[in-house]
């Protein structure tokens, strides 16, 4: 997809043209990745973080957070419950925890893989290449690392590097690819200072990275952060952090990366609890990641406030999600739900035909 085409779609106001975009993205989703909706069990096992990102409630400088780290036994029990409930993937997510022991996580991955058929996705921030290699060898299948903004100045402004450390997420994504991970990345919609040209560059970068998973959602600041305390931008160039722009980004991401797995994110369903899930899944998305984090921990994992409570931590919650999916005329996918793009890349690498 050309930059000019992306640029033309973002400010589009014509309802008929937008209706065509939604339908085209949904049809392409159906033709490339099918009609099944894959559920990922999101397990937020630690809210400790060494970073000071300007909008995230888990930032190190936020002293109002009650920090926690789950034990390996607790995580393993929850993963086994997720497998019995029908999930095909567990997503182990945390802040960029400074006390995360690489060997501890590697052993946990081995146990999950030995006791379940779950795919294991990691989302633990910027880590050393040796750690990423260790976890891959232990059996981790996927890694999520958002680039957040293709504009390096905007990224540095809101995601300062640790003192004495560089911060190159694009380089890390390349390392993850070389290690054989199924890789996911993406960006925020409406990050303060993000212009329409920035968002065009963000969407265009999705295609250049040839991603297997794409996560994008609206910017929702936490009140106990610098961006949560400052007034919103009045610039006409500022990208709005709303659900309408998020739907456009999802649809365009599907057109740009037709074979990727794209979730309807929790942030989207937070902005629109009644319809965000259905509209996201009807405009190009094919994945949803309900939290299985126990409520006592989930209430402390506040990246942003007011998170939608669409979760799959018990049978009744899982049934409610399944009901909404069936009401759309869609089915829950079984098994791991690997990205078509990833499977094709593996086949090419092994010498098969694409």
């Amino acid at each position: 997809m050309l930059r000019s085409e992306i640029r033309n779609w973002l400010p589009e106001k014509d309802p008929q043209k937008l209706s065509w975009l939604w339908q085209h993205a949904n049809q392409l989703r159906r033709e490339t990745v099918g009609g099944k909706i894959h559920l990922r069990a999101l397990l937020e096992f630690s809210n400790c973080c060494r970073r000071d990102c300007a909008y995230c409630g888990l930032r190190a400088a936020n002293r109002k957070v009650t920090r926690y780290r789950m034990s390996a036994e607790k995580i393993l029990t929850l993963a086994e419950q997720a497998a019995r409930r029908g999930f095909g993937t567990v997503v182990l997510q945390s802040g960029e925890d400074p006390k995360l022991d690489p060997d501890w996580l590697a052993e946990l991955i081995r146990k999950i893989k030995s006791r379940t058929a779950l795919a294991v996705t990691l989302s633990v921030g910027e880590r050393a290449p040796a750690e990423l290699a260790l976890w891959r060898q232990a059996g981790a299948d996927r890694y999520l690392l958002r680039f957040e903004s293709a504009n390096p100045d905007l990224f540095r402004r809101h995601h300062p590097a640790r003192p004495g450390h560089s911060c190159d997420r694009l380089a890390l994504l390349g390392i993850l690819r070389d290690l054989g991970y199924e890789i996911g990345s993406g960006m925020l919609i409406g990050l303060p200072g993000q212009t329409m040209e920035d968002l065009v560059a963000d969407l265009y970068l999705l295609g250049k990275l040839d991603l297997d998973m794409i996560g994008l959602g609206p910017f929702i600041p936490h009140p106990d952060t610098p961006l949560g305390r400052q007034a919103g931008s009045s610039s006409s160039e500022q990208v709005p952090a709303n659900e309408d722009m998020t739907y456009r980004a999802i649809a365009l991401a599907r057109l740009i990366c037709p074979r990727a797995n794209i979730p309807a994110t929790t942030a989207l369903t937070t902005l629109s609890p009644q319809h965000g899930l259905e509209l996201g899944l009807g405009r190009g998305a094919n994945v949803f990641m309900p939290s299985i984090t126990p409520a006592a921990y989930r209430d402390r994992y506040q990246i942003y406030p007011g998170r939608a409570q669409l979760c799959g931590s018990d049978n009744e919650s899982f049934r409610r999600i399944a009901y909404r999916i069936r009401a759309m005329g869609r089915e829950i996918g079984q098994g791991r739900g690997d990205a078509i793009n990833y499977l094709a890349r593996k086949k090419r690498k092994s010498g098969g035909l694409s």
Side-chain angles (χ1 to χ4, degrees):
M1 194 172 194
L2 299 176
R3 282 178 181 261
S4 59
E5 294 176 286
I6 300 171
R7 189 179 296 109
N8 289 338
W9 274 117
L10 289 177
E12 182 59 62
K13 303 290 187 186
D14 188 324
Q16 289 187 326
K17 290 183 179 180
L18 289 172
S19 179
W20 179 91
L21 177 63
W22 312 143
Q23 293 175 26
H24 186 48
N26 199 38
Q27 177 64 27
L28 186 58
R29 183 270 310 157
R30 189 161 43 241
E31 292 172 353
T32 52
V33 299
K36 303 288 178 66
I37 295 170
H38 291 280
L39 300 181
R40 316 302 200 195
L42 177 62
L43 180 50
E44 298 139 328
F45 67 92
S46 168
N47 69 349
C48 301
C49 193
R50 60 190 176 189
R51 304 297 289 275
D52 263 321
C53 298
Y55 57 83
C56 179
L58 303 187
R59 68 195 309 262
N62 185 3
R63 304 305 180 191
K64 296 181 181 181
V65 180
T66 302
R67 305 289 178 174
Y68 72 86
R69 293 184 181 94
M70 289 187 195
S71 67
E73 292 75 18
K74 181 68 172 177
I75 297 168
L76 186 57
T77 296
L78 291 167
E80 290 175 324
Q81 290 175 356
R84 289 194 295 270
R85 197 163 287 130
F87 287 98
T89 296
V90 63
V91 181
L92 301 181
Q93 180 171 294
S94 72
E96 198 168 296
D97 191 336
K99 294 186 179 180
L100 178 61
D101 183 338
D103 293 320
W104 174 89
L105 182 54
E107 182 59 24
L108 175 62
I109 294 165
R110 292 187 193 100
K111 288 181 178 178
I112 293 173
K113 299 295 286 188
S114 68
R115 299 188 193 183
T116 75
L118 293 169
V120 174
T121 300
L122 301 179
S123 178
V124 294
E126 298 169 24
R127 314 299 305 198
E131 295 174 330
L132 301 175
L134 173 67
W135 298 331
R136 178 65 180 146
Q137 291 164 4
D141 301 280
R142 305 171 186 148
Y143 204 98
L144 305 178
L145 183 68
R146 288 193 185 188
F147 61 79
E148 301 295 19
S149 174
N151 181 332
D153 293 331
L154 188 61
F155 180 89
R156 283 191 292 268
R157 189 188 317 163
H158 298 319
H159 301 79
R162 290 181 293 139
H165 291 78
S166 61
C167 185
D168 190 341
R169 293 195 174 189
L170 298 185
L172 280 176
L173 288 170
I175 290 169
L176 290 163
R177 180 190 297 276
D178 292 341
L179 288 170
Y181 281 96
E182 191 172 341
I183 56 171
S185 194
M187 66 285 192
L188 283 167
I189 309 299
L191 189 66
Q194 181 188 51
T195 67
M196 285 296 182
E197 284 302 315
D198 288 328
L199 185 51
V200 170
D202 292 340
L203 288 163
Y204 191 73
L205 180 57
L206 297 177
K208 288 185 67 177
L209 292 174
D210 189 30
L211 296 170
D212 307 310
M213 303 171 285
I214 295 171
L216 48 87
F219 164 72
I220 305 176
H222 193 286
D224 298 322
T225 63
L227 289 184
R229 292 188 288 266
Q230 75 177 36
S233 172
S234 59
S235 168
S236 60
E237 281 295 301
Q238 171 66 47
V239 173
N242 58 29
E243 59 176 305
D244 177 67
M245 189 58 68
T246 304
Y247 296 137
R248 294 171 194 232
I250 288 173
L252 291 169
R254 174 59 65 198
L255 301 186
I256 294 165
C257 300
R259 300 187 298 183
N261 281 332
I262 303 176
T265 61
T266 305
L268 177 58
T269 57
T270 297
L271 288 187
S272 179
Q274 298 300 317
H275 307 293
L277 175 63
E278 288 80 1
L279 290 176
L281 292 172
R283 294 173 176 178
N286 69 314
V287 168
F288 183 58
M289 297 169 60
S291 173
I292 63 164
T293 307
Y297 297 105
R298 190 165 63 242
D299 292 344
R300 287 186 269 167
Y301 200 88
Q302 293 294 322
I303 295 175
Y304 55 86
R307 286 199 308 162
Q309 294 302 306
L310 269 175
C311 58
S313 56
D314 57 74
N315 289 333
E316 181 56 33
S317 298
F318 189 87
R319 281 194 290 268
R320 285 197 295 269
I321 295 169
Y323 174 80
R324 290 179 66 169
I325 289 173
R326 286 195 299 270
M328 297 177 63
R330 306 271 289 275
E331 297 179 17
I332 294 176
Q334 301 300 308
R336 294 162 50 99
D338 294 312
I340 300 298
N341 196 61
Y342 175 72
L343 295 176
R345 186 166 66 249
K346 279 186 66 178
K347 190 173 183 179
R348 288 195 301 271
K349 190 172 182 179
S350 65
L353 299 176
S354 62

